[in-house]
Amino acid sequence: SQQGEEDPQALSIQEGENATMNCSYKTSINNLQWYRQNSGRGLVHLILIRSNEREKHSGRLRVTLDTSKKSSSLLITASRAADTASYFCATSNAGNNRKLIWGLGTSLAVNP
Amino acid sequence: DARVTQTPRHKVTEMGQEVTMRCQPILGHNTVFWYRQTMMQGLELLAYFRNRAPLDDSGMPKDRFSAEMPDATLATLKIQPSEPRDSAVYFCASGQGQGFYEQYFGPGTRLTVT
């Protein structure tokens, strides 16, 4: 069963705008990760945030984690056409450090 | 530039045939995962290995799927006999460490069973 649920399922924006995607999960986690998948490719790890962290930055990416709401958000600032991809969150559950549980992804289209 | 490699990249086969997919994890990574991705189900974990030992294959249909790691540089996923519902993209990923940290994905094998 899926743990993470991304929202929205699809997002279309103009180049230069910011894109925000959300992920909700159900059980306590050790960490939450975001991955990107370009069409026809494998997934690429973007960023990992641990359960005791609230915010993390990497370049144009900003990830927040609210464990009380069991949710995370991924913000891409100043988006580019090359950011067009699907974005997935994955959680490593507390007490079961063996699997990553994946959401169904948000499909982001950045229009030039 | 270390990468996970997978072969074949595309496979079209008829129902009932055996399919073997291969994966070479990144050298030094001790954990290997097999995933299946479809539009309807998203990304499903089929099996994973740590230090070549199978740790979890609960996501895999046991009657037709099998996963092995003959050595540290090769992981295989076999389907016998294949069925049209097995049509999907199969990804291998590798990682390092005891915890669940970042995974490095291969390009995938797109399987079509007719």
Side-chain angles (χ1 to χ4, degrees):
Chain A
S1 63
Q2 297 295 333
Q3 159 85 317
E5 292 184 7
E6 288 91 341
D7 168 55
Q9 289 187 338
L11 181 60
S12 181
I13 60 173
Q14 296 301 121
E15 229 173 1
E17 294 180 340
N18 295 341
T20 300
M21 289 159 269
N22 302 297
C23 169
S24 60
Y25 57 91
K26 296 172 184 167
T27 61
S28 297
I29 61 171
N30 285 325
N31 65 66
L32 184 145
Q33 303 180 39
W34 285 92
Y35 287 75
R36 182 188 73 228
Q37 184 179 30
N38 290 89
S39 180
R41 304 282 190 94
L43 283 76
V44 174
H45 180 265
L46 295 176
I47 199 164
L48 179 152
I49 186 165
R50 292 183 169 79
S51 59
N52 61 353
E53 297 176 313
R54 291 297 166 258
E55 188 170 311
K56 208 160 183 180
H57 297 255
S58 176
R60 293 183 296 112
L61 305 181
R62 172 177 168 251
V63 169
T64 61
L65 179 64
D66 186 335
T67 52
S68 66
K69 294 181 179 178
K70 292 187 169 57
S71 68
S72 173
S73 67
L74 170 66
L75 168 67
I76 304 174
T77 59
S79 64
R80 306 166 182 168
D83 295 328
T84 295
S86 291
Y87 292 82
F88 295 85
C89 70
T91 56
S92 168
N93 295 350
N96 180 9
N97 210 25
R98 294 184 161 192
K99 299 183 184 183
L100 282 182
I101 310 297
W102 297 82
L104 292 176
T106 291
S107 177
L108 172 66
V110 181
N111 305 303
Chain B
D1 186 21
R3 296 185 184 191
V4 175
T5 59
Q6 289 185 249
T7 57
R9 292 293 311 277
H10 301 272
K11 176 73 175 179
V12 179
T13 191
E14 292 184 348
M15 182 172 62
Q17 296 299 305
E18 177 178 302
V19 175
T20 298
M21 290 169 270
R22 292 178 174 80
C23 166
Q24 183 171 12
I26 291 174
L27 189 65
H29 281 188
N30 67 345
T31 310
V32 174
F33 309 85
W34 282 106
Y35 289 96
R36 175 171 63 187
Q37 187 178 39
T38 61
M39 290 294 293
M40 294 301 296
Q41 298 296 327
L43 200 63
E44 301 174 276
L45 177 67
L46 297 174
Y48 78 97
F49 296 78
R50 181 160 288 152
N51 298 321
R52 295 178 55 203
L55 286 191
D56 191 334
D57 61 2
S58 59
M60 208 163 63
K62 303 279 192 310
D63 57 338
R64 300 184 299 109
F65 284 59
S66 62
E68 296 180 346
M69 275 202 78
D71 61 60
T73 64
L74 176 64
T76 62
L77 180 67
K78 291 186 182 180
I79 308 174
Q80 170 61 25
S82 58
E83 297 180 0
R85 60 179 167 154
D86 301 329
S87 297
V89 181
Y90 291 80
F91 288 104
C92 173
S94 70
Q96 177 60 32
Q98 293 298 317
F100 251 77
Y101 300 112
E102 56 194 272
Q103 298 181 17
Y104 295 80
F105 280 74
T109 294
R110 182 173 293 277
L111 174 65
T112 303
V113 183
T114 61

